[in-house]
Amino acid sequence: MQGALQALTPVQALALSAIGAMVVCGTVLRLAGRTGFHDTPRPGRAHKLAMPLGGGLGLVAGFLAGMGPLEGDRELLLGTCVVGLLVVGLVDDLLRGRMGRWVKPAA
């Protein structure tokens, strides 16, 4: 099939994943620092310094970039599931633990 998107080689997928994750994570870290989108230390937390939130965006961007074109049903299903988990994680980050204990395992 001419003109169709080609599948990525493993090296290309790894490179795209790494670059996508680094670019988006770096951007999210800078924005989190500017906007105060971070988790502050408090009793029961392991971290002693403020930790930026939203890092899942970079991980998902890298993962989806490494998948390449979503052509088949399996790829589309996997991509949809990953984006769904991202949404749960972002909602958890935005509400900063106010969603209740039953949501934590999903996030």
Side-chain angles (χ1 to χ4, degrees):
M1 227 187 323
Q2 269 196 333
L5 296 172
Q6 298 294 319
L8 298 174
T9 67
V11 173
Q12 289 171 326
L14 180 62
L16 276 175
S17 291
I19 292 168
M22 285 189 288
V23 168
V24 176
C25 278
T27 303
V28 168
L29 284 174
R30 283 192 299 280
L31 288 174
R34 289 182 192 156
T35 62
F37 189 51
H38 56 79
D39 192 16
T40 55
R42 58 183 185 267
R45 297 287 179 160
H47 57 273
K48 304 296 181 212
L49 301 172
M51 299 300 291
L53 299 171
L57 284 169
L59 298 176
V60 169
F63 180 81
L64 293 176
M67 283 182 66
L70 300 178
E71 292 178 339
D73 291 339
R74 285 185 177 175
E75 288 94 355
L76 189 57
L77 177 62
L78 182 59
T80 302
C81 290
V82 168
V83 171
L85 289 172
L86 170 68
V87 169
V88 170
L90 283 176
V91 169
D92 179 58
D93 283 352
L94 289 169
L95 296 179
R96 296 190 182 138
R98 293 179 294 215
M99 289 175 24
R101 291 187 178 184
W102 63 272
V103 179
K104 271 299 181 193

